[in-house]
Amino acid sequence: MKRGVIVFFFAFLVSITVQAYTSGIAISAVRKSEVVQVFVNGKLYNKTPSNFIRIKSTQGTFHLRVKILDIHTRQRQEIVQTIKISKGFEYYYEIKQEEGKVPKLIQMRRYPIYSRYFLDYGLYTRGQHS
């Protein structure tokens, strides 16, 4: 009986995730001295550079352009990458850079967004979402 309830609850959570109405992208700079500005399909999403950016979006393929500014050295760099987002998940990316090499945007995790009830709108960058 207990096993049936657990299986039902898990199936319920999976079905809610699949039917979720939105997706998200989170981008974080590893170094605390770096701030980023994120462009999605050519549109700037955060006017003030920050170390961590969250963007609410729909599912689909997106062209990301991430501008990186190191506050200490005043060095600017840019990453251009195309990513695919599935419905009902938030994709978490980190900017990693080895010494003397070009920075890369690497997907770290994928978190489910269960429903509108659990979605905290305050976490996401304001503006028109694509």
Side-chain angles (χ1 to χ4, degrees):
M1 177 69 178
K2 288 182 183 180
R3 184 175 178 180
V5 171
I6 291 172
V7 169
F8 176 75
F9 182 71
F10 181 72
F12 176 72
L13 283 179
V14 169
S15 70
I16 289 174
T17 302
V18 170
Q19 296 176 3
Y21 73 104
T22 191
S23 301
I25 303 167
I27 299 174
S28 174
V30 175
R31 297 181 192 164
K32 298 300 178 191
S33 65
E34 292 179 341
V35 292
V36 296
Q37 280 189 315
V38 179
F39 294 82
V40 179
N41 293 338
K43 181 182 179 210
L44 176 64
Y45 266 83
N46 62 319
K47 292 182 182 175
T48 54
S50 176
N51 193 291
F52 184 79
I53 306 298
R54 260 194 175 114
I55 301 167
K56 185 173 72 169
S57 68
T58 57
Q59 72 177 3
T61 302
F62 298 97
H63 305 287
L64 292 180
R65 185 166 47 121
V66 181
K67 291 186 176 184
I68 307 164
L69 171 66
D70 192 333
I71 297 171
H72 296 305
T73 62
R74 298 285 182 205
Q75 184 179 17
R76 294 181 185 265
Q77 295 178 322
E78 188 172 309
I79 301 171
V80 178
Q81 186 170 333
T82 301
I83 62 171
K84 184 173 175 139
I85 302 295
S86 300
K87 186 176 184 178
F89 291 96
E90 178 180 58
Y91 290 79
Y92 177 69
Y93 291 90
E94 278 189 354
I95 299 169
K96 297 223 176 175
Q97 181 177 12
E98 294 178 16
E99 196 65 38
K101 294 196 176 183
V102 178
K104 294 181 181 179
L105 198 60
I106 299 174
Q107 180 182 343
M108 300 306 287
R109 294 184 188 96
R110 183 175 83 159
Y111 298 105
I113 299 175
Y114 296 109
S115 70
R116 292 182 186 187
Y117 179 77
F118 291 110
L119 182 64
D120 182 2
Y121 289 104
L123 297 176
Y124 294 90
T125 305
R126 304 263 188 251
Q128 182 181 6
H129 305 289
S130 55

